[in-house]
Amino acid sequence: MKLLVLGGTAFVGRAIVEHALAAGHEVTTFNRGASDSDVDGVRALRGDRNVPADVRRLRESGEWEAVIDTSGYVPRNTLAVAQELREVADSYVFMSTVSVYADWPVKPLTEQSPVLECQPDAGPDFGEDTEDGPTQYGYQKSGCEAAARLAFEDEYTAVIRPGVVLGPREYVGRLPWWLRRVAAGGRVVAPAPAMRPIQPIDVRDLAAFAVRCATERLSGAFNAAAPIGPTTFGDMLSACVDVTGSDAELAWVPDEVLLAHGVRQWSELPLWRTFEGVWGVDATRAADAGLTCRPIADTVRDTWAWMHAQPEFGEQHERAAEIGLGVEREAAILADLT
């Protein structure tokens, strides 16, 4: 099958390209060539999706059975790109986010949960960030979904809404931070209870599902997350201890203690958040359509291996700067437990 991937060099996009090539598909990528190297075996086209002339050249460069868009963030631009490509592609898969839901992260979610309202031609300034509620990012992605459906019609459009995505090449740095902290040893602040369910999805499983959506021409919205319940925070951190060979001792700290110390949820202590809906994303529809999720231990192991194999190991992406609990902050929290 001939696939066009918008993006295709970093994290989710790269995993999609690698999976598609391994499955024997013919893959073209379109990006600026600024974030990372191309995957061997792709037909790489250079251009900026925000430059109309570049998008026109892309349209003139071939025909594809499906487009997988991993780089659409502004509705107006997504609409323009999708409308241009509608002439040369049969279907469209848009990589969205659970942040499009109006109740994220407060309430549990299904695909029928209300989404944020945003027009398909909205510009980059539409929407606003609210504390513990909707974000401009969520509004924008919701508008992008509408843009994709407007250009390709519902019947030929699949929208994938992942929650937390982990795995090799994760640039936000959530799992890499935990691995580095556990590897350093000593007493490690961990958010109690250890049996708190979590449901991150491995980037490679997300990629496989995106390619499935394209090749099987699935349509509609799909939440993409691991099943609710089987995997816990304790499973993830225990796997970190195992793969690093560390002598770390996990000190499970109740929410009320963390909140009393003003620990920033989601960032200062990665993946910790107290709202009911954070790990309440129903992904049954995607599972019924073929989404499978590997054990968290496999994700942890392979991320640790990648961290050691990459030449730039230890360097942080700019988005990772806010991730992690400082040494003094951690010591103060641990002192409250003694």
Side-chain angles (χ1 to χ4, degrees):
M1 188 173 197
K2 291 184 177 181
L3 300 176
L4 169 63
V5 178
L6 305 181
T9 59
F11 200 37
V12 173
R14 189 179 194 90
I16 289 171
V17 170
E18 290 175 342
H19 182 86
L21 289 172
H25 300 295
E26 182 180 326
V27 182
T28 300
T29 58
F30 176 73
N31 56 63
R32 296 173 300 164
S35 61
D36 209 335
S37 59
D38 297 307
V39 178
D40 289 342
V42 303
R43 176 193 179 205
L45 301 178
R46 292 286 179 256
D48 189 331
R49 62 179 297 151
N50 295 293
V51 178
D54 289 357
V55 179
R56 284 194 297 272
R57 281 196 297 273
L58 171 63
R59 184 200 66 202
E60 295 165 356
S61 67
E63 294 185 353
W64 299 274
E65 290 158 276
V67 177
I68 304 178
D69 187 351
T70 70
S71 61
Y73 295 99
V74 176
R76 183 183 300 160
N77 171 257
T78 299
L79 180 61
V81 171
Q83 287 177 329
E84 196 81 52
L85 294 176
R86 186 66 183 92
E87 300 180 20
V88 292
D90 298 330
S91 62
Y92 205 87
V93 179
F94 183 75
M95 190 61 64
S96 188
T97 169
V98 294
S99 294
V100 301
Y101 289 111
D103 293 327
W104 168 259
V106 179
K107 298 179 182 179
L109 303 170
T110 71
E111 286 87 358
Q112 285 69 49
S113 299
V115 298
L116 299 169
E117 295 186 6
C118 181
Q119 294 299 311
D121 59 350
D125 297 326
F126 185 86
E128 60 181 356
D129 292 332
T130 59
E131 186 174 359
D132 298 328
T135 61
Q136 186 177 64
Y137 171 68
Y139 278 105
Q140 294 279 311
K141 279 290 195 177
S142 182
C144 289
E145 290 186 6
R149 288 192 296 267
L150 178 61
F152 273 78
E153 304 175 6
D154 291 351
E155 182 181 357
Y156 304 102
T157 305
V159 169
I160 304 175
R161 297 169 178 162
V164 173
V165 185
L166 302 178
R169 291 183 173 268
E170 186 218 328
Y171 58 84
V172 177
R174 296 182 179 116
L175 181 53
W177 183 85
W178 277 114
L179 281 162
R180 291 188 185 99
R181 174 60 195 92
V182 167
R187 295 184 74 204
V188 178
V189 166
M195 295 303 293
R196 185 194 308 264
I198 61 173
Q199 51 177 157
I201 186 171
D202 190 289
V203 66
R204 295 161 295 183
D205 298 329
L206 176 60
F209 184 66
V211 173
R212 177 182 289 268
C213 286
T215 57
E216 297 188 6
R217 296 191 177 177
L218 302 181
S219 61
F222 298 90
N223 292 336
I228 299 173
T231 303
T232 68
F233 223 112
D235 293 333
M236 183 183 74
L237 295 190
S238 294
C240 289
V241 174
D242 290 343
V243 301
T244 60
S246 170
D247 65 354
E249 173 192 351
L250 300 176
W252 294 97
V253 182
D255 287 346
E256 56 267 26
V257 175
L258 296 173
L259 293 171
H261 279 269
V263 176
R264 295 193 310 277
Q265 298 187 46
W266 212 237
S267 58
E268 199 171 15
L269 202 58
L271 305 180
W272 168 66
R273 210 166 186 179
T274 58
F275 294 114
E276 180 185 6
V278 172
W279 303 116
V281 179
D282 184 350
T284 303
R285 185 169 192 264
D288 290 344
L291 171 66
T292 60
C293 296
R294 70 195 68 200
I296 190 66
D298 291 358
T299 303
V300 171
R301 179 198 63 220
D302 294 344
T303 300
W304 183 242
W306 163 74
M307 290 167 64
H308 283 280
Q310 61 165 338
E312 65 274 23
F313 172 64
E315 296 181 8
Q316 289 190 329
H317 187 277
E318 59 182 11
R319 285 191 61 186
E322 66 178 18
I323 298 295
L325 193 63
V327 174
E328 293 182 1
R329 295 268 284 153
E330 184 174 37
I333 294 168
L334 292 170
D336 270 2
L337 301 182
T338 58

